[in-house]
Every structure is written in C-alpha cells, then in structure tokens.
Amino acid sequence: GREACALAPRGSYVDVEGATTPTPCPAGQYADSRGRTACDPCAAGSYSSATGAEACTPCAAGSFAAETGVAVCALCVAGTFQPEPGQVGCSPCGSTDDEFQSAPWGSFSVPNATTCTPCTRYGDCRGGVFSGALPGHWAARQLSSSSLLDGANASIYTCPKGSKACLGGLNSSCG
C-alpha cells in the first residue's frame, strides 16, 4: 500500500490497496501533497472548479461559499453585497456593513455586488433593490431594474398636486 500511495501526485489520491493509477480529486476538493489516500474538501469561502486541484481558490468579492467542498461560488443576490474575497456569505444593503446605511433614500445592489449604491432622491430602494420611483413621483426617462446606475442617477420628480395616475415604479408617469 505504501508504494501505491507514493504514486499519487498532488491533486490526486490512491484509495485502494495495491492500486497503481491515481484518481484526480473531484471538483470542490484538493490534495496539496503527494501520496494522499483521500482529498480534502475546500474550506467554506473557497472553491475548486476543476478536477485534480492542488489548492482551492478564494471566492471573489461579490460571491461566497457557505459550505465546504464547493465547485462554484454563489453570487450575492440583489440587495446584498460582499466587498472581500474568500467569504461565507453576503451582507444586506442597509446593514451596519453598508457604508451607505444612513443614505436618506436607502441603498441597493445588483447581483454579484461588492458594495451597495445610494438610492436617488425619491427612489424606491426598499429591501436593497431599486424598483423605480416612490408613489407620488415619476421618472424623467424609462428606468430598468437591471441597471446599477438607474437607482443612483435616475431623475425622479414629485408629481403635481391633483395628479390621478402617479403610482411610482419603473415606468412611472403623471396623469
């Protein structure tokens, strides 16, 4: 068995007594030394997407791995962010980790965000997601929920008193 173990190069293992062919570590696992009989799972906050990994890679900022042994990091969802690589989760916009937590109209993010963005005046950024103009307001141009700049740079105005159709939202207008 000892000779077979010595055959396993980094990134692989030999787990059967007398075997002479090493097996590459599966995605999500690694072997950082020769002669391994098993691979180790990547730590939470890191991943290995290919087989035969000799080391794991920290998840990029804007993504995370909450569990060990992952092959792909998950992206932070809209309304959350992660500025640091190698993390196990994302923080919500408006939390104490958000530098714009006290922005008067709140803050928002798109998926895979490394920071939140302050919402424009009269913008609706409840839950950390930009969803257009607040009720009683309208946007000077058509807005898109997928554009990061819309929530920060949209021109949103208060509807005149007596307007009947000023509901807010992405494609708001005054009637």
Side-chain angles (χ1 to χ4, degrees), residues 18-170:
T20 57
T21 304
T23 303
C25 293
Q29 297 183 18
Y30 73 102
D32 59 359
S33 60
R34 292 176 46 90
R36 301 289 301 267
T37 58
C39 299
D40 294 319
C42 293
S46 66
Y47 73 101
S48 68
S49 57
T51 59
E54 297 176 10
C56 297
T57 304
C59 295
S63 67
F64 69 99
E67 299 180 9
T68 62
V70 301
V72 178
C73 297
L75 299 180
C76 294
V77 297
T80 67
F81 70 104
Q82 180 48 258
E84 303 292 328
Q87 300 301 306
V88 297
C90 301
S91 298
C93 291
S95 68
T96 55
D97 296 332
D98 178 4
E99 65 180 301
F100 301 110
Q101 68 173 328
S102 59
W105 302 99
S107 61
F108 72 99
S109 72
V110 294
N112 198 31
T114 59
T115 186
C116 295
T117 301
C119 197
T120 193
R121 183 176 183 211
Y122 304 127
D124 187 353
C125 291
R126 290 175 282 191
V129 178
F130 176 69
S131 57
L134 286 170
H137 300 85
W138 64 282
R141 62 183 175 84
Q142 191 171 24
L143 301 176
S144 162
S145 61
S146 64
S147 173
L148 176 64
L149 296 178
D150 285 343
N153 298 324
S155 296
I156 298 177
Y157 304 99
T158 302
C159 289
K161 289 188 185 215
S163 296
K164 294 180 181 168
C166 197
L167 304 175
L170 288 176

